[in-house]
Every structure is written in C-alpha cells, then in structure tokens.
Amino acid sequence: MDDYQELARRVRAQGGRMTPQRQIVLEAISALDGHASANEIYEWVAARAPAVNRATVYRVLRFLCEANLVAPFATDGVMLYELVGARPHHHLVCRGCGHVEPIPAQALDVLVTALCREHGFQAELRHLAITGLCRECRQ
Amino acid sequence: MDDYQELARRVRAQGGRMTPQRQIVLEAISALDGHASANEIYEWVAARAPAVNRATVYRVLRFLCEANLVAPFATDGVMLYELVGARPHHHLVCRGCGHVEPIPAQALDVLVTALCREHGFQAELRHLAITGLCRECRQ
DNA sequence: GTTTCTGCAAAAGCTTTGCAGTATC
DNA sequence: GATACTGCAAAGCTTTTGCAGAAAC
C-alpha cells in the first residue's frame, strides 16, 4: 500500500478530497489480500471504525474505481474489488469455497491481440476471472 | 433447441418432471441467443405466459443448471444463463452496453492445462467471461 | 466560506423461501 | 394417489439514493 501522501495526491488529482473513510477502505482491501467484496470490506472497516456507514463504503468504492485506484470484477452475483497494482494479473475464482487466487498475466497478451483483431473487442484482462474448482474443493 | 421428447427425457433423468414452465424457460433462452439474465428470461416468458411467476423462473433456472441443461456465469453483478450446447465457447462481455458475444473455445486448452499443472485449479472455461469494450462502445 | 463527503434512513433491484394448492407421473 | 412443482407473498441480500449535517479544502 502506498503511503498517505501519495494516496492523497491521487485522490485530489481526481478533484476529490482525502478522508479517513477513503483511507481505511484502501487499508481494508490491502489487508484482505488486495481483493474483497463490499461486505468483507465493510466488516473489516466496521471492526475498527464502527461509525463508518455501509453506504459510505459503497460510495468510496465507486469513487476509488473511477479514480483507478481500485478495479471491480464480477463473480457469482457479487462484485469484488481489487487494488490496482503495478503488475497486471488475473484471478482464479473457486465456485466451491469462493477463494480468489491471483495469477500473473504472462502470455495472455496473445489472446488480447487476437480478440482485438478478430472481434474488434478491447479486452480488459486485468479483470479476467476464471471460474472453476480449487485444489481443495476438487477432492 | 432439442425437441420436446429429448428435453423431457433429460429432465426425467434428473428425477424431475417436465412442465410447461420448464419448457418455456428453455425456449426463452434459446430465443434470446442462447444466453440471458433471469430478468430477460422472465420478461420473454411473461409476454407469452403471464401466469408464470418470477420465483418459478428462478427455480426452473436452478433446476436446469443442476440438470446440466443450462450453465450460469457471472457478469457485473448479474447472473447470466446459457444453454449447454455441443461446442464449448466463451463470452465477450461489453461493460459499455452489456452485449454478450460468444467466441469459439479453440486454443485455450493450453491455458486450462497450465492452470491445472501450476495451480491445481480445474478451470471451467465454459463459463469464462472476458470483460471489455465492444467495437461500438470503444468509439 | 464553498464544495464535497458522510451518516442515516429509506428504497430499489435481484434472488430465495415457506406454504397451500396444482399438476405430473 | 404419491410426489414434485407452481403461484403467491414475504423476506433476505446487495447496492443505491435523498437529504441534512459535518468535514475537507
């Protein structure tokens, strides 16, 4: 997680203001392995700052997405939010236990190029979520 | 879409019964390009059979998923349902207009093999949804 | 001091569930 | 005739919104 000054700078670059709520939501996602649902984030925040409201968490998340500090992706009817890091990567989402495991982007650029060439589709592979069963749930 | 007899056989193979509601839900998905949200399916059905209830559509969809006649996949907080066809394929989901375009599976078997070998993850690439912007929404 | 943000409460959208009656086998 | 399925109504869960007050700039 970047330090407070850097975050404040990026928030203000969006014409926004830095607040304790925005800071603690970012801390929460960071503490939750860099990706979590709105509810998980709310629970984490509520344990430390009970005054923070659920609606605020959702509004903060939307703001952070628009500020490109956080990226949303969909899994099984629930939205997950992840910190936008330096390295692009993808997600293995287990439909058994819900565990999300990041994997490096690597050779999928070939796929992106092909999709663009053949379908005119600009894939955003940062948000690619591959559903399946993890090692534990396969047994 | 398979004919009624074949569908009825597969439904009964699950220990279920063939009903007009289950038939018309399958018709709806077929008419909606083979993939649709629960709401789209409900609207299509309601236009032809107003007596069919929303809850029934959801229950039918769950049954059909368990019967492997239909497969669910997640996009932007809404569940989509698709007919399980002969050929596996994937989906390009536009986050601008919500349009879903199927693409052939092709060379992604390499990816599946790699994920299994390196992460012990059994990918279900039938349900792979790639988010991005379609040709129209890019402009 | 102005503008943005938050808390509260209420509501909207999607999905599930309990129950009594109905339809399928 | 026994069992599974449906309609209805109600509720559960996730997410959004209107508004008045508070905080950041």
Side-chain angles (χ1 to χ4, degrees):
Chain A
M1 170 61 41
D2 307 86
D3 64 324
Y4 181 88
Q5 294 302 326
E6 169 63 8
L7 287 175
R9 192 190 61 72
R10 295 181 70 175
V11 166
R12 293 206 195 87
Q14 282 288 316
R17 293 171 181 179
M18 194 56 187
T19 65
Q21 290 87 347
R22 289 179 178 176
Q23 192 184 356
I24 200 172
V25 164
L26 283 165
E27 282 175 29
I29 306 176
S30 179
L32 295 164
D33 295 326
H35 42 72
S37 68
N39 189 56
E40 288 167 342
I41 294 166
Y42 172 72
E43 301 282 0
W44 195 97
V45 170
R48 278 143 253 251
V52 175
N53 194 270
R54 227 188 187 92
T56 300
V57 170
Y58 280 99
R59 276 186 290 226
V60 165
L61 285 171
R62 186 152 18 144
F63 173 88
L64 293 174
C65 288
E66 285 164 8
N68 268 308
L69 288 165
V70 164
F73 63 101
T75 58
D76 288 339
V78 186
M79 226 47 185
L80 297 187
Y81 300 88
E82 71 158 339
L83 291 178
V84 173
R87 280 163 282 93
H89 60 275
H90 310 299
H91 296 108
L92 303 179
V93 182
C94 177
R95 69 169 163 78
C97 61
H99 178 73
V100 178
E101 185 177 337
I103 57 170
Q106 285 193 342
L108 277 120
D109 295 338
V110 182
L111 178 61
V112 178
T113 308
L115 291 177
C116 187
R117 188 179 58 241
E118 291 165 26
H119 297 86
F121 190 85
Q122 181 181 333
E124 291 165 353
L125 283 194
R126 180 187 294 284
H127 309 156
L128 179 61
I130 299 176
T131 305
L133 287 175
C134 72
R135 204 188 306 270
E136 283 71 29
C137 292
R138 286 173 66 186
Q139 291 160 3
Chain B
M1 170 62 41
D2 306 86
D3 64 325
Y4 181 88
Q5 294 302 326
E6 169 63 8
L7 287 175
R9 192 190 62 72
R10 296 182 69 175
V11 166
R12 292 204 195 88
Q14 282 288 315
R17 293 172 180 179
M18 194 56 187
T19 64
Q21 290 86 344
R22 288 179 178 177
Q23 193 184 355
I24 200 173
V25 164
L26 283 165
E27 281 175 29
I29 305 177
S30 179
L32 294 164
D33 295 326
H35 43 71
S37 67
N39 189 57
E40 288 167 342
I41 294 166
Y42 172 73
E43 300 282 1
W44 194 97
V45 170
R48 278 143 254 252
V52 175
N53 194 271
R54 224 186 189 95
T56 299
V57 170
Y58 280 99
R59 275 186 291 226
V60 165
L61 285 172
R62 188 159 8 151
F63 173 87
L64 294 174
C65 288
E66 284 164 9
N68 269 307
L69 289 165
V70 164
F73 63 103
T75 58
D76 286 339
V78 186
M79 228 46 186
L80 296 187
Y81 300 88
E82 70 158 340
L83 291 178
V84 173
R87 282 164 280 92
H89 60 274
H90 310 299
H91 296 107
L92 303 179
V93 182
C94 177
R95 69 168 163 79
C97 61
H99 178 74
V100 178
E101 186 178 337
I103 57 170
Q106 285 193 339
L108 277 117
D109 294 340
V110 182
L111 178 61
V112 178
T113 308
L115 291 178
C116 186
R117 188 179 58 238
E118 291 165 26
H119 296 85
F121 189 85
Q122 181 181 334
E124 292 166 352
L125 283 194
R126 178 187 297 284
H127 308 157
L128 180 60
I130 299 176
T131 305
L133 288 175
C134 71
R135 204 189 304 272
E136 284 71 30
C137 292
R138 287 171 66 185
Q139 291 159 2

